[in-house]
């Protein structure tokens, strides 16, 4: 049944009312905002309005600033400067400026960069040799003219959505620090990746997404994060967490930047029909994806749905089949145990205990249990294909909470694991589906960042990106 807001908003109001009588805090300080995005900056380089050498020096300065503390594991200063200088020479000679125009892009410390070690944000791999060649995704960025700025910090081996790293320190959340004095989590696992973009050190960040690791930090920092269909971007040269679920992608400042990075990383031309929202049928999944929201997320989602509806989109309630047992972390545990078991035997004392605990759970998963997971997943995906057949895209909150304070999560294991599960709950559905999803900001200036997730089945990347451009435009009217 078609409706404008209907019971989707009612469900949000009921969820917010349960045990949540406190009103959200008002903030008078504006959010950290960027003056422009990568698309504009690349155009400025091409037109001679921006010098790539000057831009890379500004990026390096930002990367070394207090706002970026703990965001980088290592900087590639000479590589970055050389890339910017090469683009400057190309333009001076009248040649075609590459698409990324010698501008800074950060790389999550899971992806090989030739001549640099790849350590996964861990002490356990610090003695390893440097990479002999670039990861496939890194190679594509370099070929497109990116100035690779450095390896960014992350949850050790990408195994958490919170973003805490006890080895290299946990980066702060630049977007929330502009609003209050409470240190809050950056989100993970691509914590440093998002911080590098939030602070202006990088115009975009290469990261991975196994259960939301691009979209969670993007949502909590007011950025755009895109997880494409898994096979759209190659993962060769990237430390795996779960080969069944891992996806490579980018965090950016705008949806059009996401389109640009997806074209580079997927090595394809993205053809967008630019359909207006009035031509779209949008599903609003009910049930668990709308549960346990804090008031800030609930209010932001209600406003977003109202804006999308006012622009003419047809909203439909969806009641989707539950993923059941496949949502209990079995793939990540079993597959990470396969990769890490020898490293744990050699250097288990060097692992984050919380990460090691989750990996070791895979030891108890039998081959029969693992094959059962794959069979259950295939059956669930088939049921989801039928359930999503009538809509162009789905809308859900990326995560149901704003960035929580950091200190209690560092101290309290029970709180940490409960918060981690809540952060992963919504975005991980898309990984289990092998779908595609885009998180974009839905908060107003002065509010803690919240993310709206547009998602659909695998192979629908262009439809999701196209809808993302239209929704992004509609939500600008919220500011």
């Amino acid at each position: 049944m078609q409706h404008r807001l209907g019971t989707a908003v009612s469900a949000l109001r009921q969820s917010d009312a349960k045990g949540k009588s406190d009103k959200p805090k008002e903030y008078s300080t504006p959010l950290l905002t960027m003056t422009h995005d990568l698309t504009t900056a690349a155009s400025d380089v091409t037109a001679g309005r921006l010098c790539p050498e000057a831009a890379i020096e500004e990026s390096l300065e930002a990367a070394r600033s207090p706002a970026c503390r703990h965001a980088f594991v290592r900087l590639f200063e000479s590589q970055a400067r050389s890339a910017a200088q090469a683009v400057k020479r190309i333009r001076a000679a009248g040649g075609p400026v590459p698409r990324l125009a010698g501008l800074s892009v950060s790389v999550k410390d899971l992806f090989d960069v030739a001549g640099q070690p790849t350590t996964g944000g861990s002490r356990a791999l610090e003695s390893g040799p440097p990479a002999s060649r670039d990861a496939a995704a890194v190679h594509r960025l370099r070929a497109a003219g990116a100035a690779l700025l450095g390896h960014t910090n992350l949850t050790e081996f990408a195994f958490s959505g919170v973003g805490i790293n006890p080895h290299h320190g946990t980066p702060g959340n630049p977007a929330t620090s502009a609003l209050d004095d409470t240190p809050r989590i950056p989100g993970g696992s691509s914590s440093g990746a998002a911080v590098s973009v939030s602070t202006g050190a990088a115009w975009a960040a290469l990261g991975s997404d196994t259960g939301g690791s691009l979209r969670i930090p993007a949502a909590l920092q007011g950025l755009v994060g895109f997880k494409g269909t898994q096979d759209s971007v190659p993962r060769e040269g990237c430390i795996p967490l779960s080969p069944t679920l891992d996806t490579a992608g980018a965090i950016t400042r705008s949806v059009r930047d996401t389109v640009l990075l997806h074209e580079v990383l997927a090595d394809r031309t993205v053809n967008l029909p630019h359909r207006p929202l009035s031509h779209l049928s949008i599903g609003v999944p009910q049930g668990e994806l709308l549960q346990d929201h804090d008031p800030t997320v609930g209010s932001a989602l209600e406003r977003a749905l109202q804006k999308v509806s006012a622009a003419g989109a047809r909203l439909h309630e969806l009641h989707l089949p539950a993923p059941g047992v496949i949502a209990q972390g079995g793939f990540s545990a079993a597959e990470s145990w396969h990769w890490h078991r020898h490293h744990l035997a050699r250097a288990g004392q060097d692992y984050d205990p919380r990460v090691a605990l989750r990996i070791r759970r895979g030891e108890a998963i039998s081959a029969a249990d693992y094959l059962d997971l794959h069979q259950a997943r295939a059956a669930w995906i088939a049921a989801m294909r039928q359930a999503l057949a009538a809509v162009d895209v789905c809308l859900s909150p990326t995560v149901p909470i704003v960035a929580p304070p950091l200190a209690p999560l560092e101290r309290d294991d029970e709180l940490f694991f409960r918060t981690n599960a809540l952060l992963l709950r919504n975005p991980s559905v898309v990984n289990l589906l092998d779908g595609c999803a885009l998180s974009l900001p839905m908060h107003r200036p002065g509010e803690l960042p919240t993310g709206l997730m547009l998602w659909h089945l695998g192979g629908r990347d262009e439809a999701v990106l196209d809808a993302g451009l239209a929704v992004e435009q509609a939500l600008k009217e919220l500011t």
Side-chain angles (χ1 to χ4, degrees):
M1 180 179 64
Q2 295 181 6
H3 63 88
R4 291 299 183 186
L5 295 175
T7 57
V9 172
S10 297
L12 283 171
R13 288 173 174 157
Q14 293 170 7
S15 175
D16 291 343
K18 293 179 181 177
K20 296 182 175 71
S21 59
D22 294 338
K23 293 182 180 179
K25 182 178 178 181
E26 297 295 330
Y27 297 93
S28 58
T29 307
L31 270 176
L32 180 68
T33 57
M34 302 299 178
T35 55
H36 55 304
D37 59 6
L38 173 59
T39 302
T40 299
S43 176
D44 287 345
V45 170
T46 300
R49 295 185 293 267
L50 177 64
C51 173
E53 283 186 300
I56 204 64
E57 292 304 323
E58 290 182 3
S59 292
L60 287 167
E61 182 178 1
R64 293 189 291 261
S65 72
C68 252
R69 184 168 178 256
H70 304 313
F72 287 88
V73 176
R74 61 191 65 86
L75 291 173
F76 310 146
E77 296 189 29
S78 61
Q79 284 193 38
R81 289 189 173 108
S82 295
Q85 291 164 1
V87 170
K88 182 180 179 181
R89 289 194 298 269
I90 289 170
R91 186 185 180 280
V97 173
R99 299 192 71 186
L100 301 183
L103 298 168
S104 60
V105 176
S106 66
V107 178
K108 189 175 183 177
D109 185 28
L110 290 178
F111 293 87
D112 287 346
V113 175
Q116 303 289 341
T118 310
T119 55
S122 179
R123 298 295 185 195
L125 299 185
E126 285 187 333
S127 61
S132 60
R133 62 176 64 86
D134 288 338
V138 172
H139 172 75
R140 290 180 177 181
L141 289 171
R142 200 190 294 274
L148 304 177
L149 190 67
H151 265 146
T152 52
N153 196 5
L154 64 150
T155 302
E156 185 183 52
F157 296 120
F159 213 162
S160 162
V162 177
I164 291 174
N165 187 303
H167 308 301
H168 300 292
T170 300
N173 187 323
T176 64
S177 66
L179 298 170
D180 66 22
D181 294 329
T182 302
R184 297 177 181 271
I185 66 166
S189 64
S190 304
S191 53
V195 172
S196 74
V197 178
S198 288
T199 58
W203 295 93
L206 174 65
S208 65
D209 191 308
T210 304
S213 289
L214 289 165
R215 291 162 287 152
I216 294 168
L220 299 184
Q221 296 187 44
L223 300 168
V224 179
F226 181 60
K227 174 240 176 300
T229 305
Q230 186 188 44
D231 65 3
S232 62
V233 179
R235 288 167 287 126
E236 291 83 3
C238 177
I239 295 174
L241 174 57
S242 169
T244 295
L245 306 175
D246 293 343
T247 308
I251 295 174
T252 66
R253 299 180 185 177
S254 66
V255 178
R256 67 177 185 174
D257 278 2
T258 295
V259 174
L260 169 60
L261 266 293
H262 187 57
E263 288 193 323
V264 170
L265 292 171
D267 191 24
R268 60 175 296 179
T269 299
V270 173
N271 296 306
L272 302 180
H274 296 285
R275 297 173 66 192
L277 287 174
S278 59
H279 289 193
L280 296 183
S281 176
I282 295 179
V284 182
Q286 305 296 291
E288 188 174 46
L289 294 180
L290 289 181
Q291 292 174 1
D292 303 318
H293 296 89
D294 67 27
T296 304
V297 173
S299 296
L301 181 59
E302 181 174 345
R303 291 193 309 264
L305 291 174
Q306 288 171 343
K307 284 293 184 182
V308 169
S309 177
R314 301 179 302 281
L315 301 183
H316 306 259
E317 285 185 19
L318 292 180
H319 297 275
L320 301 176
V325 67
I326 65 171
Q328 296 175 10
F331 286 116
S332 294
E335 294 174 355
S336 64
W337 171 248
H338 170 260
W339 196 90
H340 284 276
R341 65 193 192 280
H342 300 303
H343 294 294
L344 282 166
R346 174 187 57 82
Q349 72 281 358
D350 293 331
Y351 276 63
D352 176 352
R354 289 169 170 173
V355 171
L357 175 67
R358 298 181 74 195
I359 293 172
R360 290 185 187 278
R361 288 174 181 162
E363 186 176 11
I365 298 175
S366 69
D369 292 337
Y370 179 69
L371 293 175
D372 283 346
L373 285 175
H374 278 284
Q375 290 179 348
R377 184 190 188 213
W380 178 72
I381 290 175
M384 287 288 284
R385 288 189 182 281
Q386 183 174 356
L388 299 177
V391 298
D392 297 301
V393 69
C394 295
L395 293 185
S396 304
T398 308
V399 294
I401 57 175
V402 297
L406 171 62
L409 294 166
E410 290 180 317
R411 295 192 302 264
D412 188 331
D413 283 351
E414 182 180 353
L415 178 63
F416 170 85
F417 286 114
R418 187 168 66 249
T419 302
N420 185 58
L422 190 59
L423 289 169
L424 293 169
R425 186 195 69 193
N426 289 9
S428 65
V429 168
V430 184
N431 298 80
L432 293 170
L433 184 63
D434 189 20
C436 49
L438 177 77
S439 179
L440 53 85
M442 65 174 180
H443 57 283
R444 294 185 297 198
E447 292 180 340
L448 291 173
T450 55
L452 181 66
M453 185 169 69
L454 289 72
W455 60 279
H456 211 289
L457 298 162
R460 300 293 296 270
D461 304 59
E462 293 183 355
V464 167
L465 291 170
D466 194 53
L469 288 169
V471 171
E472 180 185 49
Q473 183 60 40
L475 296 189
K476 285 182 179 178
E477 299 176 19
L478 292 174
T479 60

